[in-house]
Amino acid sequence: MAKEKDPKLNLKVIGVGFPRTGTYSLKNALQKLGYKCYHFEDVFTRPSHAEIWTDYITKKAGTGELPPFLDLLAEYDAVVDFPCALYHRELRELCPDAAVLLTKRDTKLWVRSMMNLLATGDKLRKYRWILKYFQSEQLDQFITISDYIHEKAFGKMSRDELVSAYDIHNAMLAADPRVTVMEPEDGWTKICTMLELDIPDSPYPHLNSKAGVLKKHIAKILVKSILLWIVLPIFGIAAAFYTLRM
C-alpha cells in the first residue's frame, strides 16, 4: 500500500542524479527560480542537520526506518544530490506530484570525478584522530555520513562498482517517462520546460561543488579549532602574566 502524502513534506522537485553530475549547479539554478533546495552542502551548513543524519545512520539505518525527512526537509521544496537522492523512491512516494529530474554526464568523466572525491575522503579519514583531538565533531560526522551514503550507493567503492551502480541507476530512471533527463550542456532549457517557467536572463550556473565545499568547511572548522586550542589559551596566559606584573 502506498504511503499517504505527508502534508508537511511539500517537495516540488526531486533530483535523483548522483553526485558529480551537476547537482550543485542544479541547486543554485533551482534557487534562482525561487525554490529552496536541499543539497549535501546543507547537511553541514544547517544547524543540527549533521547530527540528525549521524544519529540516523548510527542508530536506525538498516532497520527499515526512513531518515526523519520532516525534521530535515519541512522548510524545503526541492532536493538534489546525496544523501536525499539515495531515497528518491521513498521521497517520490511521499510527494507523488513532484517533478523528477535526473542529472547525468559521460560515465568515464563521472567516474574520474567521483574517484577524486572519494580520494579526498580517504585522506581526511587518515587524520580522523587529529580532528577528534581538536574537537572537530562536524568533520567526524562528515566522515560517518560520507562513508554511509557512498557504501550504500557503491558498495566497496571500487571502480567497477562505481560504473555499475551509475549506469544501472541512470538507465533505470531514464526509462521512466515521468523523469526528465538533464545533461550539463542543457542549461536552463530542460529545467524550465519541465517546471513550465520562463528562462532567466542570467546564464545557467556551472559550479563545482563538493571538493570546494569540503575544503571550505575543513578550513572553517580548523581555524575555529586553532583559535580555541592555541590562540585563546596563549592570549589568556599573556593576559594573566601581564596582570601579575602590575
Side-chain angles (χ1 to χ4, degrees):
M1 179 182 295
K3 298 174 184 177
E4 293 183 5
K5 181 179 177 181
D6 195 306
K8 296 181 181 179
L9 196 61
N10 187 33
L11 297 179
K12 296 176 182 176
V13 180
I14 298 174
V16 298
F18 277 5
R20 315 306 296 163
T21 61
T23 56
Y24 192 58
S25 298
L26 178 58
K27 172 189 173 170
N28 282 268
L30 287 168
Q31 292 185 157
K32 283 190 174 185
L33 293 172
Y35 293 89
K36 187 169 184 181
C37 185
Y38 195 86
H39 174 276
F40 184 84
E41 178 185 40
D42 294 84
V43 174
F44 295 97
T45 57
R46 288 301 306 272
S48 79
H49 279 219
E51 184 178 348
I52 292 172
W53 278 106
T54 302
D55 184 71
Y56 168 76
I57 289 165
T58 56
K59 298 177 182 178
K60 299 173 183 176
T63 66
E65 184 173 337
L66 292 177
F69 286 126
L70 290 180
D71 294 335
L72 295 163
L73 304 177
E75 299 177 20
Y76 294 84
D77 54 8
V79 294
V80 299
D81 199 51
F82 286 176
C84 288
L86 287 172
Y87 299 93
H88 65 89
R89 295 181 185 85
E90 294 84 353
L91 290 173
R92 291 175 66 185
E93 191 174 355
L94 288 167
C95 302
D97 296 328
V100 184
L101 187 60
L102 171 67
T103 47
K104 61 190 289 287
R105 63 192 291 204
D106 176 78
T107 301
K108 290 182 180 179
L109 293 176
W110 176 81
V111 169
R112 186 185 310 154
S113 179
M114 196 68 206
M115 292 291 286
N116 288 338
L117 179 64
L118 294 174
T120 301
D122 287 340
K123 291 176 183 177
L124 185 60
R125 196 177 294 105
K126 290 179 182 178
Y127 301 102
R128 194 169 191 169
W129 65 275
I130 297 177
L131 301 175
K132 285 186 176 181
Y133 174 78
F134 281 111
Q135 291 189 343
S136 298
E137 184 180 9
Q138 271 204 332
L139 285 177
D140 194 54
Q141 291 169 340
F142 174 89
I143 295 171
T144 298
I145 295 168
S146 295
D147 284 351
Y148 170 74
I149 60 180
H150 292 148
E151 287 171 13
K152 182 175 173 64
F154 311 125
K156 294 182 180 179
M157 293 176 274
S158 68
R159 189 180 191 87
D160 288 343
E161 285 174 306
L162 287 173
V163 171
S164 177
Y166 183 70
D167 286 344
I168 290 172
H169 176 82
N170 288 344
M172 175 189 69
L173 286 163
D176 186 337
R178 298 166 296 177
V179 176
T180 297
V181 180
M182 180 178 174
E183 301 201 27
E185 61 271 18
D186 290 328
W188 288 115
T189 305
K190 287 280 186 76
I191 183 174
C192 288
T193 300
M194 176 187 72
L195 298 173
E196 300 180 344
L197 296 172
D198 294 332
I199 294 177
D201 294 330
S202 59
Y204 184 86
H206 290 285
L207 305 169
N208 188 9
S209 69
K210 240 170 234 178
V213 170
L214 174 57
K215 289 176 182 177
K216 181 170 68 175
H217 193 68
I218 291 172
K220 179 180 177 182
I221 292 180
L222 288 182
V223 167
K224 181 179 177 181
S225 298
I226 290 170
L227 285 172
L228 177 65
W229 286 93
I230 299 176
V231 176
L232 290 181
I234 290 175
F235 179 80
I237 292 171
F241 182 74
Y242 177 78
T243 301
L244 290 173
R245 292 191 62 185
M246 292 181 64

